[in-house]
Amino acid sequence: MSDIIQLLPDHVANQIAAGEVVQRPASIVKELLENSIDAGATKIELIIRDAGKNLIQVVDDGKGMSETDARMSFERHATSKIRGTEDIFKIATKGFRGEALASIAAVSQVELKTKQKDAALGTNIYIEGGVFQFQEPTQTSEGSNFLVKNLFYNVPARRKFLKNNNIEFRHVIDEFQRVALAHEGLEFSLFHDDEPIFKLRKGTQMQRIVDIFGRKLHPQLIPIKEDIIWCKLHGFVAKPEGAKKTRGEQFLFVNGRFFKSPYFNKAVQEAFEGLLLPGYIPTFFLFLELDPEKIDVNIHPQKTEVKFEDEHLIFALLRSTIKRALGIYNIAPSLDFERDPQLDEMMQKSFPSKSNNIGNLKMPEIIVDRDYNPFLEERGNPQIEIQNLTKMYHQNISAEPSKINLFEDEDFDEDLMRLPNGYWLFNKGDSTLMLDLGRMHRLLVAESNKKSKKSTNRQSLLFSLEYHMNETEKIKYKAIKKYLPELGFEMSINHDSVLSIDAVPEGLKESQVMKFLENLFEVLEYKTEEEFLQFYQNQWNKMQSKSRFDFIYKADAEQLIKDFTALGFPEFLPNGKRCFYEVPFNDFKNKF
């Protein structure tokens, strides 16, 4: 029998290995940005075309590479970050595996121009599909200029599975934000199809967060800081009103590296216990600094998983520090066993006379009139008063107890009755149903809209509303703005990323506008116009039903039930939620 095991060609092995490192354009963005940071760059520019499918370019002013280093950097397992096994357990750089550039070059066309500070000329190298093409001297600026073109051009099956541009570019923004948040001392800029998306200045952590996510987040941020012997924790959490139903603005960093940890996310969630509505997730930007020997980042090629030596202690640190910060800012009560010296200083400034003369305070005195007698004759004859009370008691002893009706009389009917929790009981044939009128109304409106395709009437606002948008929301707004005028919105966006809202659909309350828009912007991407309109209608119906059915008169409830009966009395909404539930009265009888 002939031998069947053989070594794979290098280009095939490289393409297979690239699947772990390069999953989409965002993976390349992450690796190239981190390389620029490791090279000591102070200014980094990211240029994207076609969501990164056709071009990803990173230009930095780092230390650059020599002619030999530029060629060697594209070899697998070639790196300047570590030298031996012991270095893996004290990693202080972003990269260390020596796989990224080789993997990128295996599935794209890569051009690199780089020059060191004191060199007269730089070097230009070009690799296509993992195959070296040429290398030549060139005139270029100090630093490095990476160009990655036509991603997955030689692996059509991989390119076919890339999502549309909106989704892929959203992932690019996510990686850009993660790197930029961890390095507020560097300048970053992002261009997509020649349009500037981000231009981030050097500054503080607070400034970097506001520059990325918008000014509306600034007043909601609460500083977090704790410095103990083995760990430093700093950053910000948002007040409960900044929480959202979707994940996105939850960032954890260790030694300047973004990582994901459901365990530590739970610590933050527990710190907000009792402050958030069910299903809401707090916004946070938290930075940990530990000895590199206490963590292990060599878990996965993407380096977003980190193992901690003392993760239970860090869990407790996160939860207690955030709880205390919420208490200091009057968001939640806290027991402050170690009094904050700044708080004492503030008290002394605010109440100098009380805080400086505590020793002179005296306990209040209680003066008692020992000669007071309530039964003296001038205050009334006690015998007469006792007789009057007894007489009143015997006269009313047969009186019926008062009846307190918790419901209006109209609510008691053989067919329909309102319950205190907002639901209604309805006798339908031999069954008794508990109704959710809000969901029933939502279904009726949806059916009505299917029959009527008329454009929505709009109502002009006396004063325009302003919505401060971050870059992510701007991208989502541009994707759906062509649908908004027909739906009744009239709005425009200025150079300061402020959305000015001049008119809204008739029936949408002014107090509901901002929340309604936030719900529309929370969706990652709408694939089709029909998908967007369906989501929009669901949000509209939900908001209208919520505001209308906080309280409803019985006559309106009866009319709604008649309309719902004409519809066929469907049990479920399209999303699978129940409109009514049959009350199991037989089970109640058994309990008696």
Side-chain angles (χ1 to χ4, degrees), residues 317-342:
L317 175 68
L318 287 168
R319 183 174 57 183
S320 61
T321 305
I322 295 172
K323 266 194 171 184
R324 187 177 63 187
L326 293 172
I328 291 174
Y329 283 82
N330 294 325
I331 306 301
S334 70
L335 296 175
D336 194 5
F337 295 104
E338 295 181 6
R339 188 173 179 84
D340 190 344
Q342 293 183 354

PDB file of all heavy atoms in Angstrom, residues 317-342:
ATOM      1  N   LEU A 317     -13.063  43.213  43.456  1.00  0.00           N
ATOM      2  CA  LEU A 317     -12.579  44.593  43.347  1.00  0.00           C
ATOM      3  C   LEU A 317     -13.481  45.410  42.438  1.00  0.00           C
ATOM      4  O   LEU A 317     -13.850  46.551  42.773  1.00  0.00           O
ATOM      5  CB  LEU A 317     -11.147  44.586  42.812  1.00  0.00           C
ATOM      6  CG  LEU A 317     -10.525  45.950  42.523  1.00  0.00           C
ATOM      7  CD1 LEU A 317     -10.298  46.720  43.816  1.00  0.00           C
ATOM      8  CD2 LEU A 317      -9.209  45.795  41.759  1.00  0.00           C
ATOM      9  N   LEU A 318     -13.838  44.867  41.297  1.00  0.00           N
ATOM     10  CA  LEU A 318     -14.712  45.583  40.362  1.00  0.00           C
ATOM     11  C   LEU A 318     -16.063  45.889  40.999  1.00  0.00           C
ATOM     12  O   LEU A 318     -16.549  47.029  40.962  1.00  0.00           O
ATOM     13  CB  LEU A 318     -14.915  44.753  39.098  1.00  0.00           C
ATOM     14  CG  LEU A 318     -13.737  44.643  38.127  1.00  0.00           C
ATOM     15  CD1 LEU A 318     -13.999  43.562  37.090  1.00  0.00           C
ATOM     16  CD2 LEU A 318     -13.489  45.972  37.434  1.00  0.00           C
ATOM     17  N   ARG A 319     -16.662  44.889  41.596  1.00  0.00           N
ATOM     18  CA  ARG A 319     -18.006  45.066  42.157  1.00  0.00           C
ATOM     19  C   ARG A 319     -18.015  46.076  43.295  1.00  0.00           C
ATOM     20  O   ARG A 319     -18.858  46.983  43.332  1.00  0.00           O
ATOM     21  CB  ARG A 319     -18.531  43.712  42.645  1.00  0.00           C
ATOM     22  CG  ARG A 319     -19.961  43.766  43.176  1.00  0.00           C
ATOM     23  CD  ARG A 319     -20.467  42.383  43.515  1.00  0.00           C
ATOM     24  NE  ARG A 319     -19.600  41.724  44.493  1.00  0.00           N
ATOM     25  CZ  ARG A 319     -19.779  40.477  44.930  1.00  0.00           C
ATOM     26  NH1 ARG A 319     -20.766  39.752  44.448  1.00  0.00           N
ATOM     27  NH2 ARG A 319     -18.964  39.956  45.816  1.00  0.00           N
ATOM     28  N   SER A 320     -17.059  45.962  44.234  1.00  0.00           N
ATOM     29  CA  SER A 320     -17.058  46.854  45.401  1.00  0.00           C
ATOM     30  C   SER A 320     -16.695  48.284  45.020  1.00  0.00           C
ATOM     31  O   SER A 320     -17.283  49.243  45.531  1.00  0.00           O
ATOM     32  CB  SER A 320     -16.089  46.324  46.461  1.00  0.00           C
ATOM     33  OG  SER A 320     -14.767  46.277  45.953  1.00  0.00           O
ATOM     34  N   THR A 321     -15.732  48.446  44.096  1.00  0.00           N
ATOM     35  CA  THR A 321     -15.307  49.801  43.713  1.00  0.00           C
ATOM     36  C   THR A 321     -16.422  50.539  42.982  1.00  0.00           C
ATOM     37  O   THR A 321     -16.671  51.726  43.228  1.00  0.00           O
ATOM     38  CB  THR A 321     -14.056  49.730  42.827  1.00  0.00           C
ATOM     39  OG1 THR A 321     -13.036  48.994  43.502  1.00  0.00           O
ATOM     40  CG2 THR A 321     -13.536  51.127  42.529  1.00  0.00           C
ATOM     41  N   ILE A 322     -17.107  49.848  42.093  1.00  0.00           N
ATOM     42  CA  ILE A 322     -18.201  50.489  41.355  1.00  0.00           C
ATOM     43  C   ILE A 322     -19.361  50.803  42.290  1.00  0.00           C
ATOM     44  O   ILE A 322     -19.965  51.890  42.205  1.00  0.00           O
ATOM     45  CB  ILE A 322     -18.654  49.587  40.194  1.00  0.00           C
ATOM     46  CG1 ILE A 322     -17.535  49.449  39.171  1.00  0.00           C
ATOM     47  CG2 ILE A 322     -19.910  50.140  39.531  1.00  0.00           C
ATOM     48  CD1 ILE A 322     -17.809  48.433  38.090  1.00  0.00           C
ATOM     49  N   LYS A 323     -19.679  49.895  43.198  1.00  0.00           N
ATOM     50  CA  LYS A 323     -20.756  50.156  44.168  1.00  0.00           C
ATOM     51  C   LYS A 323     -20.451  51.393  44.999  1.00  0.00           C
ATOM     52  O   LYS A 323     -21.321  52.235  45.249  1.00  0.00           O
ATOM     53  CB  LYS A 323     -20.937  48.939  45.075  1.00  0.00           C
ATOM     54  CG  LYS A 323     -22.008  47.975  44.612  1.00  0.00           C
ATOM     55  CD  LYS A 323     -22.366  46.986  45.698  1.00  0.00           C
ATOM     56  CE  LYS A 323     -23.589  46.175  45.294  1.00  0.00           C
ATOM     57  NZ  LYS A 323     -24.035  45.263  46.350  1.00  0.00           N
ATOM     58  N   ARG A 324     -19.211  51.500  45.455  1.00  0.00           N
ATOM     59  CA  ARG A 324     -18.842  52.644  46.279  1.00  0.00           C
ATOM     60  C   ARG A 324     -18.924  53.941  45.480  1.00  0.00           C
ATOM     61  O   ARG A 324     -19.393  54.968  45.976  1.00  0.00           O
ATOM     62  CB  ARG A 324     -17.419  52.459  46.829  1.00  0.00           C
ATOM     63  CG  ARG A 324     -17.020  53.541  47.835  1.00  0.00           C
ATOM     64  CD  ARG A 324     -15.657  53.266  48.400  1.00  0.00           C
ATOM     65  NE  ARG A 324     -14.652  53.304  47.341  1.00  0.00           N
ATOM     66  CZ  ARG A 324     -13.378  52.965  47.525  1.00  0.00           C
ATOM     67  NH1 ARG A 324     -12.968  52.523  48.699  1.00  0.00           N
ATOM     68  NH2 ARG A 324     -12.515  53.037  46.531  1.00  0.00           N
ATOM     69  N   ALA A 325     -18.485  53.909  44.200  1.00  0.00           N
ATOM     70  CA  ALA A 325     -18.556  55.109  43.368  1.00  0.00           C
ATOM     71  C   ALA A 325     -20.005  55.524  43.139  1.00  0.00           C
ATOM     72  O   ALA A 325     -20.332  56.716  43.177  1.00  0.00           O
ATOM     73  CB  ALA A 325     -17.855  54.857  42.035  1.00  0.00           C
ATOM     74  N   LEU A 326     -20.889  54.573  42.915  1.00  0.00           N
ATOM     75  CA  LEU A 326     -22.303  54.892  42.745  1.00  0.00           C
ATOM     76  C   LEU A 326     -22.872  55.507  44.016  1.00  0.00           C
ATOM     77  O   LEU A 326     -23.718  56.404  43.961  1.00  0.00           O
ATOM     78  CB  LEU A 326     -23.080  53.632  42.371  1.00  0.00           C
ATOM     79  CG  LEU A 326     -22.781  53.020  40.999  1.00  0.00           C
ATOM     80  CD1 LEU A 326     -23.472  51.674  40.846  1.00  0.00           C
ATOM     81  CD2 LEU A 326     -23.211  53.951  39.880  1.00  0.00           C
ATOM     82  N   GLY A 327     -22.414  55.025  45.163  1.00  0.00           N
ATOM     83  CA  GLY A 327     -22.881  55.591  46.427  1.00  0.00           C
ATOM     84  C   GLY A 327     -22.390  57.002  46.650  1.00  0.00           C
ATOM     85  O   GLY A 327     -23.133  57.877  47.099  1.00  0.00           O
ATOM     86  N   ILE A 328     -21.120  57.264  46.323  1.00  0.00           N
ATOM     87  CA  ILE A 328     -20.560  58.604  46.501  1.00  0.00           C
ATOM     88  C   ILE A 328     -21.299  59.621  45.650  1.00  0.00           C
ATOM     89  O   ILE A 328     -21.512  60.768  46.061  1.00  0.00           O
ATOM     90  CB  ILE A 328     -19.051  58.601  46.162  1.00  0.00           C
ATOM     91  CG1 ILE A 328     -18.281  57.797  47.222  1.00  0.00           C
ATOM     92  CG2 ILE A 328     -18.500  60.016  46.069  1.00  0.00           C
ATOM     93  CD1 ILE A 328     -16.813  57.611  46.894  1.00  0.00           C
ATOM     94  N   TYR A 329     -21.722  59.202  44.458  1.00  0.00           N
ATOM     95  CA  TYR A 329     -22.425  60.114  43.556  1.00  0.00           C
ATOM     96  C   TYR A 329     -23.944  60.021  43.711  1.00  0.00           C
ATOM     97  O   TYR A 329     -24.698  60.381  42.819  1.00  0.00           O
ATOM     98  CB  TYR A 329     -22.014  59.846  42.102  1.00  0.00           C
ATOM     99  CG  TYR A 329     -20.661  60.424  41.773  1.00  0.00           C
ATOM    100  CD1 TYR A 329     -19.499  59.732  42.108  1.00  0.00           C
ATOM    101  CD2 TYR A 329     -20.535  61.666  41.177  1.00  0.00           C
ATOM    102  CE1 TYR A 329     -18.245  60.259  41.832  1.00  0.00           C
ATOM    103  CE2 TYR A 329     -19.294  62.210  40.896  1.00  0.00           C
ATOM    104  CZ  TYR A 329     -18.151  61.498  41.223  1.00  0.00           C
ATOM    105  OH  TYR A 329     -16.916  62.023  40.949  1.00  0.00           O
ATOM    106  N   ASN A 330     -24.368  59.478  44.865  1.00  0.00           N
ATOM    107  CA  ASN A 330     -25.802  59.428  45.216  1.00  0.00           C
ATOM    108  C   ASN A 330     -26.636  58.651  44.208  1.00  0.00           C
ATOM    109  O   ASN A 330     -27.820  58.921  44.026  1.00  0.00           O
ATOM    110  CB  ASN A 330     -26.373  60.843  45.360  1.00  0.00           C
ATOM    111  CG  ASN A 330     -25.764  61.588  46.526  1.00  0.00           C
ATOM    112  OD1 ASN A 330     -25.460  60.986  47.565  1.00  0.00           O
ATOM    113  ND2 ASN A 330     -25.548  62.877  46.360  1.00  0.00           N
ATOM    114  N   ILE A 331     -26.009  57.697  43.537  1.00  0.00           N
ATOM    115  CA  ILE A 331     -26.766  56.847  42.627  1.00  0.00           C
ATOM    116  C   ILE A 331     -27.358  55.671  43.387  1.00  0.00           C
ATOM    117  O   ILE A 331     -28.426  55.182  43.096  1.00  0.00           O
ATOM    118  CB  ILE A 331     -25.874  56.332  41.476  1.00  0.00           C
ATOM    119  CG1 ILE A 331     -25.198  57.506  40.774  1.00  0.00           C
ATOM    120  CG2 ILE A 331     -26.682  55.521  40.487  1.00  0.00           C
ATOM    121  CD1 ILE A 331     -26.148  58.509  40.186  1.00  0.00           C
ATOM    122  N   ALA A 332     -26.639  55.215  44.409  1.00  0.00           N
ATOM    123  CA  ALA A 332     -27.104  54.094  45.225  1.00  0.00           C
ATOM    124  C   ALA A 332     -26.567  54.283  46.633  1.00  0.00           C
ATOM    125  O   ALA A 332     -25.510  54.872  46.826  1.00  0.00           O
ATOM    126  CB  ALA A 332     -26.622  52.763  44.644  1.00  0.00           C
ATOM    127  N   PRO A 333     -27.266  53.816  47.668  1.00  0.00           N
ATOM    128  CA  PRO A 333     -26.761  53.946  49.024  1.00  0.00           C
ATOM    129  C   PRO A 333     -25.526  53.089  49.222  1.00  0.00           C
ATOM    130  O   PRO A 333     -25.386  52.018  48.650  1.00  0.00           O
ATOM    131  CB  PRO A 333     -27.925  53.423  49.881  1.00  0.00           C
ATOM    132  CG  PRO A 333     -28.683  52.535  48.975  1.00  0.00           C
ATOM    133  CD  PRO A 333     -28.548  53.121  47.612  1.00  0.00           C
ATOM    134  N   SER A 334     -24.596  53.568  50.017  1.00  0.00           N
ATOM    135  CA  SER A 334     -23.401  52.793  50.312  1.00  0.00           C
ATOM    136  C   SER A 334     -23.035  52.950  51.776  1.00  0.00           C
ATOM    137  O   SER A 334     -23.298  53.975  52.390  1.00  0.00           O
ATOM    138  CB  SER A 334     -22.231  53.249  49.438  1.00  0.00           C
ATOM    139  OG  SER A 334     -21.799  54.540  49.821  1.00  0.00           O
ATOM    140  N   LEU A 335     -22.417  51.928  52.337  1.00  0.00           N
ATOM    141  CA  LEU A 335     -21.901  51.972  53.697  1.00  0.00           C
ATOM    142  C   LEU A 335     -20.427  52.313  53.604  1.00  0.00           C
ATOM    143  O   LEU A 335     -19.615  51.486  53.185  1.00  0.00           O
ATOM    144  CB  LEU A 335     -22.105  50.624  54.394  1.00  0.00           C
ATOM    145  CG  LEU A 335     -23.562  50.212  54.586  1.00  0.00           C
ATOM    146  CD1 LEU A 335     -23.627  48.812  55.176  1.00  0.00           C
ATOM    147  CD2 LEU A 335     -24.288  51.193  55.486  1.00  0.00           C
ATOM    148  N   ASP A 336     -20.063  53.528  53.954  1.00  0.00           N
ATOM    149  CA  ASP A 336     -18.694  53.999  53.807  1.00  0.00           C
ATOM    150  C   ASP A 336     -17.959  53.817  55.127  1.00  0.00           C
ATOM    151  O   ASP A 336     -17.949  54.701  55.968  1.00  0.00           O
ATOM    152  CB  ASP A 336     -18.702  55.470  53.376  1.00  0.00           C
ATOM    153  CG  ASP A 336     -17.330  55.903  52.884  1.00  0.00           C
ATOM    154  OD1 ASP A 336     -16.420  55.057  52.785  1.00  0.00           O
ATOM    155  OD2 ASP A 336     -17.179  57.097  52.616  1.00  0.00           O
ATOM    156  N   PHE A 337     -17.333  52.636  55.337  1.00  0.00           N
ATOM    157  CA  PHE A 337     -16.634  52.383  56.577  1.00  0.00           C
ATOM    158  C   PHE A 337     -15.324  53.163  56.644  1.00  0.00           C
ATOM    159  O   PHE A 337     -14.863  53.532  57.710  1.00  0.00           O
ATOM    160  CB  PHE A 337     -16.356  50.878  56.721  1.00  0.00           C
ATOM    161  CG  PHE A 337     -17.620  50.078  56.853  1.00  0.00           C
ATOM    162  CD1 PHE A 337     -18.101  49.346  55.789  1.00  0.00           C
ATOM    163  CD2 PHE A 337     -18.341  50.083  58.036  1.00  0.00           C
ATOM    164  CE1 PHE A 337     -19.266  48.606  55.905  1.00  0.00           C
ATOM    165  CE2 PHE A 337     -19.512  49.350  58.160  1.00  0.00           C
ATOM    166  CZ  PHE A 337     -19.969  48.614  57.095  1.00  0.00           C
ATOM    167  N   GLU A 338     -14.695  53.387  55.488  1.00  0.00           N
ATOM    168  CA  GLU A 338     -13.500  54.208  55.452  1.00  0.00           C
ATOM    169  C   GLU A 338     -13.895  55.569  54.886  1.00  0.00           C
ATOM    170  O   GLU A 338     -14.090  55.726  53.691  1.00  0.00           O
ATOM    171  CB  GLU A 338     -12.437  53.558  54.564  1.00  0.00           C
ATOM    172  CG  GLU A 338     -11.952  52.235  55.121  1.00  0.00           C
ATOM    173  CD  GLU A 338     -10.878  51.632  54.236  1.00  0.00           C
ATOM    174  OE1 GLU A 338     -10.461  52.302  53.281  1.00  0.00           O
ATOM    175  OE2 GLU A 338     -10.476  50.517  54.523  1.00  0.00           O
ATOM    176  N   ARG A 339     -14.017  56.548  55.741  1.00  0.00           N
ATOM    177  CA  ARG A 339     -14.536  57.843  55.323  1.00  0.00           C
ATOM    178  C   ARG A 339     -13.570  58.510  54.357  1.00  0.00           C
ATOM    179  O   ARG A 339     -12.361  58.523  54.564  1.00  0.00           O
ATOM    180  CB  ARG A 339     -14.752  58.727  56.552  1.00  0.00           C
ATOM    181  CG  ARG A 339     -15.488  60.029  56.208  1.00  0.00           C
ATOM    182  CD  ARG A 339     -15.822  60.781  57.475  1.00  0.00           C
ATOM    183  NE  ARG A 339     -16.490  62.021  57.169  1.00  0.00           N
ATOM    184  CZ  ARG A 339     -17.786  62.130  56.940  1.00  0.00           C
ATOM    185  NH1 ARG A 339     -18.539  61.073  56.968  1.00  0.00           N
ATOM    186  NH2 ARG A 339     -18.330  63.293  56.682  1.00  0.00           N
ATOM    187  N   ASP A 340     -14.094  59.055  53.284  1.00  0.00           N
ATOM    188  CA  ASP A 340     -13.294  59.731  52.277  1.00  0.00           C
ATOM    189  C   ASP A 340     -12.805  61.062  52.846  1.00  0.00           C
ATOM    190  O   ASP A 340     -13.606  61.919  53.238  1.00  0.00           O
ATOM    191  CB  ASP A 340     -14.160  59.980  51.039  1.00  0.00           C
ATOM    192  CG  ASP A 340     -13.330  60.467  49.863  1.00  0.00           C
ATOM    193  OD1 ASP A 340     -12.188  60.888  50.092  1.00  0.00           O
ATOM    194  OD2 ASP A 340     -13.838  60.401  48.727  1.00  0.00           O
ATOM    195  N   PRO A 341     -11.478  61.315  52.884  1.00  0.00           N
ATOM    196  CA  PRO A 341     -10.979  62.586  53.423  1.00  0.00           C
ATOM    197  C   PRO A 341     -11.458  63.788  52.636  1.00  0.00           C
ATOM    198  O   PRO A 341     -11.629  64.872  53.184  1.00  0.00           O
ATOM    199  CB  PRO A 341      -9.447  62.435  53.320  1.00  0.00           C
ATOM    200  CG  PRO A 341      -9.219  61.312  52.368  1.00  0.00           C
ATOM    201  CD  PRO A 341     -10.399  60.423  52.487  1.00  0.00           C
ATOM    202  N   GLN A 342     -11.690  63.616  51.321  1.00  0.00           N
ATOM    203  CA  GLN A 342     -12.214  64.732  50.528  1.00  0.00           C
ATOM    204  C   GLN A 342     -13.617  65.115  50.988  1.00  0.00           C
ATOM    205  O   GLN A 342     -13.983  66.285  50.982  1.00  0.00           O
ATOM    206  CB  GLN A 342     -12.248  64.347  49.053  1.00  0.00           C
ATOM    207  CG  GLN A 342     -10.861  64.165  48.448  1.00  0.00           C
ATOM    208  CD  GLN A 342     -10.930  63.859  46.971  1.00  0.00           C
ATOM    209  OE1 GLN A 342     -12.011  63.675  46.420  1.00  0.00           O
ATOM    210  NE2 GLN A 342      -9.777  63.801  46.322  1.00  0.00           N
TER     211      GLN A 342
END
